[in-house]
Amino acid sequence: MWSSNVKTGAELSISSIPVAQLAKEFGTPAFIMDESDFRNRCATWNSALSTAFGSNAGSVYYAAKAFICVEVARWIKDIGIGIDVCTGGELTVALKGGIDPAKIEVHGNNKSVAEIEKAVAAGVGTIVIDSLYEIERVAAAAVKHGVVQKVLLRLTPGIEAHTHESIATAHEDVKFGFSIASGAAWGAIVQTRKHSSLELRGFHAHIGSQILETDSFEISAQRLIALLAKYRDEFSAELPELDLGGGYGIAYLPGDTELDPASTMKALAQIVSAQCAAHKLSVPKISIEPGRSIVGPTMFTVYEVGTIKDVTLENGANRRYISVDGGMSDNLRPALYAAEYTALLANRTSTAPKISSRIVGKHCETGDIVIREIDLENDIVPGDLLATPATGAYGRSMATNYNHVPRPPVIAVKDGKARVIVRRETEADLLGLDI
Ligand code: LLP
């Protein structure tokens, strides 16, 4: 939930800096990011993949959509893992951060021709093809740039992953990829092979996000491997790569579990080697795309309390509304997925009794809720700070300017020093697009 250099229990601090001091220096709301924790999490996933798969380990591609900025792209470059981007914008940031194009993998169910051309021209390692149209578009871009582009086909293995409907991606009735069951995947394989400007390297599947059990990943791997075997039987050649996507779940609330990288990779490696042995296939290079499980726990959001009011519910109970200076513009997940978070009083300790509270934002709608129900100290007053952990993934990256609220900055903290890596938006930024 909290990143490794955060201390709770006393006054909240990160890498020995009190959060109150950060709020004073950088303002609120703000995303505070634990740089060492981010780097360690990248390294942990990388070593979990290598340990489990040995010489068959492909790449860890950090899923940029969870959170990316140029400085984080530089960290990724230093650490040496790959990155998955799904738009021209994410690609631009990755390249600006100096990431080797060969370590970039490009996704998206509706990449524009311009995005495809930009990716091919940049020399990205892999493009994950999502539709029949795209087979033609990527092939044409490769011809135009005089290259043979490595591609994977995105497949939907027909799995109902245990997660929120909006973030499950591998069942049949979904916009992504080629269905294995319907034969669409086979059609795409045949079509891709017709293009000498495309090198089909293998298959990709991403079954969903915030998944907390390994069984769905295992079924996905089995179905992809069965298709690799069918390919070998038909074409007398083996495809060398499988990308099993991201989706590894993290803890948001006290008592939540998260998928442990080492044991998750070990379980996957066992399935992959057993299935490959059963089909008499050599084990392909296995890649993964964790986003949330790398960046999620590395950030928390700090808010300042602005107003407080008590209401009496129909059953006679009291509910305290605590309004903070951000809300659904910096954390859309509660409104979008009924996602749950926790929070702590961040600028002081209090032994006051706790009462049932609802933390709400400053936006003009009732659904602007940060935390629907939480017991918080009853002496919280305007000016106090609240910190919400585990907001690193899909927090700042899905932030909006709703109600013309400028988006919060990202402050990276490492070895007792804090610095801005994404500055706070200003009203001038907001006006900057108006003609
Ligand atoms: N690879 C692909 C192809 C993906 O579509 C995604 C996420 C990932 C990797 C990374 O998944 P992760 O490891 O972060 O779970 N906005 C939603 C999550 C949407 C995920 C979209 N794709 C949320 O806030 O829960």
Side-chain angles (χ1 to χ4, degrees):
M1 223 168 49
W2 295 96
S3 65
S4 55
N5 294 298
V6 167
K7 288 224 165 41
T8 60
E11 192 187 323
L12 193 69
S13 66
I14 171 165
S15 190
S16 307
I17 312 177
V19 170
Q21 187 181 316
L22 293 172
K24 201 164 167 203
E25 187 172 350
F26 300 105
T28 57
F31 288 94
I32 312 294
M33 182 172 199
D34 189 332
E35 178 177 343
S36 311
D37 198 53
F38 180 90
R39 289 173 178 272
N40 289 339
R41 284 180 166 269
C42 290
T44 302
W45 277 100
N46 205 23
S47 71
L49 183 75
S50 314
T51 306
F53 289 96
S55 59
N56 298 315
S59 290
V60 171
Y61 292 103
Y62 169 64
K65 67 203 78 169
F67 174 72
I68 194 66
C69 64
V70 175
E71 181 64 5
V72 168
R74 291 187 193 111
W75 302 348
I76 300 280
K77 177 194 169 207
D78 282 358
I79 298 160
I81 61 171
I83 191 163
D84 124 26
V85 300
C86 68
T87 61
E90 288 179 359
L91 175 59
T92 299
V93 178
L95 293 172
K96 182 90 182 166
I99 295 176
D100 176 1
K103 292 189 171 174
I104 300 179
E105 188 188 67
V106 182
H107 279 286
N109 68 299
N110 186 18
K111 308 168 190 75
S112 68
V113 169
E115 286 173 319
I116 291 169
E117 291 221 346
K118 181 176 168 158
V120 172
V124 300
T126 309
I127 296 183
V128 182
I129 291 185
D130 213 288
S131 69
L132 289 173
Y133 298 96
E134 218 171 63
I135 296 174
E136 308 310 319
R137 291 171 187 163
V138 177
V143 168
K144 183 170 166 188
H145 292 277
V147 296
V148 174
Q149 180 62 53
K150 290 188 175 131
V151 299
L152 299 177
L153 293 176
R154 175 155 184 173
L155 307 184
T156 47
I159 291 163
E160 304 287 337
H162 312 295
T163 187
H164 189 279
E165 188 195 359
S166 309
I167 54 177
T169 50
H171 42 299
E172 289 294 315
D173 185 9
V174 79
K175 68 173 180 168
F176 297 105
F178 301 99
S179 138
I180 297 179
S182 72
W186 195 256
I189 291 169
V190 170
Q191 189 58 25
T192 304
R193 283 176 51 92
K194 290 184 182 159
H195 291 281
S196 56
S197 64
L198 301 179
E199 179 187 346
L200 179 60
R201 301 283 298 169
F203 306 138
H204 169 279
H206 169 76
I207 56 173
S209 202
Q210 185 55 13
I211 294 169
L212 290 161
E213 289 152 21
T214 52
D215 54 347
S216 312
F217 292 107
E218 294 170 9
I219 299 168
S220 171
Q222 276 175 26
R223 294 186 182 167
L224 295 179
I225 290 167
L227 197 64
L228 287 179
K230 184 172 172 199
Y231 184 98
R232 185 262 334 267
D233 295 345
E234 183 75 19
F235 302 115
S236 309
E238 293 190 357
L239 291 173
E241 288 183 34
L242 267 195
D243 184 328
L244 299 175
Y248 312 101
I250 62 164
Y252 283 96
L253 299 176
D256 280 359
T257 52
E258 68 174 3
L259 276 186
D260 165 62
S263 45
T264 306
M265 288 301 105
K266 194 172 161 202
L268 265 181
Q270 278 164 358
I271 291 285
V272 167
S273 57
Q275 291 296 312
C276 287
H279 290 287
K280 300 195 170 52
L281 272 176
S282 22
V283 176
K285 291 252 189 257
I286 302 293
S287 296
I288 54 167
E289 302 165 346
R292 185 192 316 265
S293 51
I294 288 179
V295 75
T298 70
M299 288 194 222
F300 62 87
T301 309
V302 55
Y303 298 108
E304 185 177 296
V305 174
T307 67
I308 293 176
K309 82 163 185 178
D310 289 322
V311 299
T312 305
L313 305 180
E314 263 173 28
N315 63 7
N318 183 73
R319 176 173 355 259
R320 174 155 294 184
Y321 275 87
I322 302 180
S323 296
V324 295
D325 52 357
M328 65 193 298
S329 55
D330 58 73
N331 190 355
L332 202 49
R333 301 192 69 257
L336 216 47
Y337 319 115
E340 294 184 289
Y341 287 84
T342 186
L344 284 183
L345 177 59
N347 53 314
R348 61 187 174 88
T349 54
S350 165
T351 51
K354 295 191 169 177
I355 60 162
S356 170
S357 306
R358 175 168 290 177
I359 304 180
V360 295
K362 64 179 286 150
H363 296 279
C364 288
E365 61 180 83
T366 304
D368 173 27
I369 294 172
V370 180
I371 300 177
R372 184 166 286 276
E373 179 88 60
I374 181 170
D375 288 336
L376 283 177
E377 292 81 356
N378 72 3
D379 66 345
I380 289 178
V381 288
D384 274 331
L385 301 176
L386 294 177
T388 305
T391 55
Y394 309 104
R396 183 62 178 74
S397 77
M398 294 203 301
T400 71
N401 289 125
Y402 184 36
N403 297 142
H404 273 57
V405 169
R407 288 175 296 174
V410 180
I411 313 298
V413 178
K414 183 164 180 280
D415 302 331
K417 292 201 180 69
R419 65 197 169 106
V420 178
I421 60 169
V422 178
R423 71 161 168 81
R424 184 182 302 284
E425 248 172 354
T426 62
E427 288 186 350
D429 292 322
L430 298 182
L431 289 171
L433 299 179
D434 283 86
I435 307 300

